[in-house]
Amino acid sequence: MRRGAALLAAALLAAAWAAPALAQDLSTVVEAAAGAGGSDTTAAEAAPSELDTAADATTDRDIERVLERRFRQIEELEQVEVSSSAGVVRLEGTVLSAEAAAEAEEMAQRTDGVAVVENDLELERSVQRRVGVALDSAKDRLWELVTFLPLLVLAIAILGLAIAAGRWLAGRDALFERLSDSTFVRNLLKQLVRAVAAIVGALIALDLLGATALVGALLGTAGIVGLAIGFAFQDLVENYIASVLLSLRQPFEPSDLVDIDGRMGKVVRLTSRATVLMTLDGNHLRIPNAQVFKAVILNYSRNPLRRFDFGVGVGVDVDLIEAQELGLDVLRSMEGVLDDPEAWSQVQELGDSNVLVRFYGWVDQRRHDFTKVQSSAIRRVKVALEDAGIDMPEPIYRVNLLGAGAAALGGSGASPPALSPPEAPARRPPIEEDLSIDDAIDRQIDAERARDGEDLLDDAPHSEI
């Protein structure tokens, strides 16, 4: 019994002595286990980094393969070499043009996974390759032209037919004569028809060729050019537009005697820039159409009947009715003075030493010369008044002489010696007068118009629009 108790006590003592070491061992085991767990955690944390690196490498290889396949499809980019690292793509090699290098860079930037593109491409210096590429391009263009040739021929045929149709329509004179009596207007309409037909044909041909975008560019360019020309040649454009309007209005005809803002002459022709007159002295006078269109025009020839007038001063003691009737009898008996409208007169003004009587008469300019009839009427009325003893006094002036001049006359109150009236000149016998139309200027105008030259006037009589 005692021996068993002693053995139990000894066992307890041994256990107590071994307990610290066992605790230390257990602690070591736990720490080791904990350390093992930490190593697993670190490995687990380190694993994603290794996986990302592998994924980047895979992505870089995919980028390289994709870009290389794309570049191999384009002849100008066949020599491009691609390398990729972590999304940074570097392009190396040679290309034929700067445009090809820019295209390669743009293609690389559009590829998924590419962050940055370094373009180190250089222009190809090899003569053999560049010549080969140029020849291949020329062959391709030539083949395109050959395949495109039927459409081109058809487009040219359509344009030619449109132009021919416009010319045929413009040649129908009867149609345009119904629209206007003016030759210039008819010619203008014919040109417009031809232009519209050509434009329509060109639009159809361009649409067939698929070049309708070219029409907008041409129209825009034409508008800009037209605006620039309009500003640069404003006077020319203004004169041309005025010539068109004058040809429509026709305010005068060839050989009409006109007064345009104080410039008198007979009309020779109307051009696209100026109106040509011939003065009564036989000189050519060119007036810009812009001024003519805006000017006040006095046409002496549009109405064939034209009135002349002149004044005669008679004495204050003269019977005015008798003087008027005497002058009117002369006018009524004259050749060239019309009976309808009839001649007439009026007392116009009471002067200091006479009374002004004015006579009026009408001339048909188609049968008699206006200036000749007027001149003959003045002369005949003067002679008739003188023969009838009608006093036609000259202006009377009173002169007072002072000093030596008065003394020479015998004093300040002396009157100057009376002067005997001059003897009346002997009358010439009446002469035959030529009152026919003076056509010297008209003949010169006809010769001028017979020459080849632009003229927008019509010879046929018409009324102004």
Side-chain angles (χ1 to χ4, degrees):
M1 187 72 172
R2 290 180 180 177
R3 189 176 177 179
L7 290 173
L8 181 60
L12 291 174
L13 288 174
W17 177 81
L22 181 60
Q24 184 176 2
D25 293 339
L26 291 173
S27 177
T28 302
V29 173
V30 172
E31 290 178 356
S39 299
D40 294 340
T41 304
T42 304
E45 292 177 353
S49 176
E50 295 175 358
L51 292 175
D52 290 344
T53 302
D56 289 344
T58 302
T59 302
D60 289 337
R61 286 194 298 271
D62 292 340
I63 291 173
E64 291 175 359
R65 285 195 297 269
V66 169
L67 290 177
E68 287 176 354
R69 284 198 304 268
R70 291 177 180 176
F71 291 159
R72 295 302 176 270
Q73 303 301 320
I74 302 175
E75 185 177 2
E76 293 186 352
L77 303 179
E78 290 179 347
Q79 304 297 325
V80 177
E81 298 178 359
V82 183
S83 61
S84 177
S85 178
V88 178
V89 175
R90 174 172 294 177
L91 304 179
E92 297 176 329
T94 58
V95 291
L96 297 177
S97 63
E99 291 77 8
E103 182 182 2
E105 182 177 353
E106 184 180 358
M107 291 174 62
Q109 289 176 346
R110 292 199 305 263
T111 304
D112 293 338
V114 176
V116 179
V117 178
E118 293 184 1
N119 193 344
D120 294 334
L121 296 174
E122 298 180 355
L123 293 180
E124 178 65 54
R125 306 298 181 185
S126 174
V127 176
Q128 181 178 1
R129 186 185 176 200
R130 296 184 70 90
V131 171
V133 172
L135 291 176
D136 292 340
S137 177
K139 291 178 182 178
D140 293 340
R141 293 181 182 275
L142 181 60
W143 178 247
E144 290 178 358
L145 179 60
V146 171
T147 57
F148 192 70
L149 194 59
L151 285 178
L152 182 61
V153 172
L154 181 59
I156 294 175
I158 291 175
L159 180 59
L161 289 175
I163 294 176
R167 291 181 177 178
W168 177 84
L169 187 60
R172 306 301 95 190
D173 295 333
L175 174 62
F176 292 95
E177 288 175 357
R178 296 178 182 178
L179 297 177
S180 176
D181 295 333
S182 173
T183 302
F184 176 74
V185 174
R186 292 198 298 269
N187 292 335
L188 192 63
L189 292 175
K190 291 179 181 179
Q191 294 177 5
L192 182 61
V193 167
R194 287 193 290 264
V196 170
I199 291 174
V200 171
L203 290 176
I204 296 175
L206 291 175
D207 185 59
L208 181 64
L209 297 176
T212 53
L214 181 61
V215 178
L218 291 176
L219 291 178
T221 303
I224 295 175
V225 172
L227 186 62
I229 292 176
F231 279 110
F233 301 97
Q234 182 177 0
D235 292 340
L236 293 178
V237 174
E238 184 180 9
N239 286 326
Y240 181 78
I241 294 176
S243 68
V244 174
L245 296 177
L246 286 173
S247 65
L248 294 175
R249 291 177 52 190
Q250 298 282 340
F252 39 70
E253 299 174 9
S255 299
D256 277 1
L257 178 63
V258 296
D259 186 320
I260 303 175
D261 277 349
R263 303 177 181 92
M264 181 178 290
K266 288 196 171 185
V267 178
V268 178
R269 60 166 43 98
L270 173 66
T271 68
S272 60
R273 184 178 179 184
T275 299
V276 182
L277 304 181
M278 182 176 289
T279 66
L280 300 182
D281 298 329
N283 300 317
H284 281 69
L285 177 63
R286 300 177 65 89
I287 307 175
N289 285 331
Q291 297 183 18
V292 176
F293 183 75
K294 294 181 289 186
V296 176
I297 302 176
L298 179 59
N299 193 329
Y300 293 100
S301 302
R302 181 56 60 93
N303 182 7
L305 305 184
R306 184 177 175 186
R307 191 186 73 177
F308 67 87
D309 64 275
F310 61 91
V312 178
V314 299
V316 295
D317 297 330
V318 170
D319 185 348
L320 298 179
I321 295 179
E322 180 184 357
Q324 288 179 272
E325 289 296 332
L326 185 59
L328 290 176
D329 290 340
V330 173
L331 296 180
R332 294 188 186 106
S333 63
M334 273 188 60
E335 178 187 2
V337 178
L338 296 177
D339 297 330
D340 184 19
E342 63 178 356
W344 62 288
S345 71
Q346 65 175 357
V347 178
Q348 188 174 32
E349 183 181 354
L350 179 62
D352 296 333
S353 57
N354 61 5
V355 178
L356 183 62
V357 179
R358 185 163 293 276
F359 295 91
Y360 301 87
W362 290 85
V363 179
D364 187 348
Q365 300 180 97
R366 295 169 296 185
R367 292 185 281 180
H368 297 90
D369 188 273
F370 176 81
T371 57
K372 290 181 178 180
V373 173
Q374 183 182 33
S375 174
S376 178
I378 295 174
R379 182 183 60 81
R380 289 170 179 253
V381 169
K382 175 182 177 294
V383 171
L385 293 177
E386 288 178 347
D387 291 344
I390 301 296
D391 182 23
M392 292 182 290
E394 298 178 357
I396 298 175
Y397 300 96
R398 182 175 181 180
V399 180
N400 293 326
L401 301 178
L402 303 176
L409 292 175
S412 59
S415 300
L419 299 177
S420 58
E423 295 182 0
R427 296 292 182 190
R428 292 184 178 181
I431 59 175
E432 291 290 336
E433 290 185 296
D434 180 15
L435 302 180
S436 61
I437 298 175
D438 185 1
D439 61 348
I441 297 295
D442 294 331
R443 284 187 280 106
Q444 297 179 50
I445 293 176
D446 292 339
E448 179 70 22
R449 289 179 56 81
R451 303 174 186 173
D452 292 334
E454 180 186 15
D455 190 10
L456 307 182
L457 295 176
D458 296 332
D459 293 324
H462 52 269
S463 59
E464 181 179 352
I465 299 177

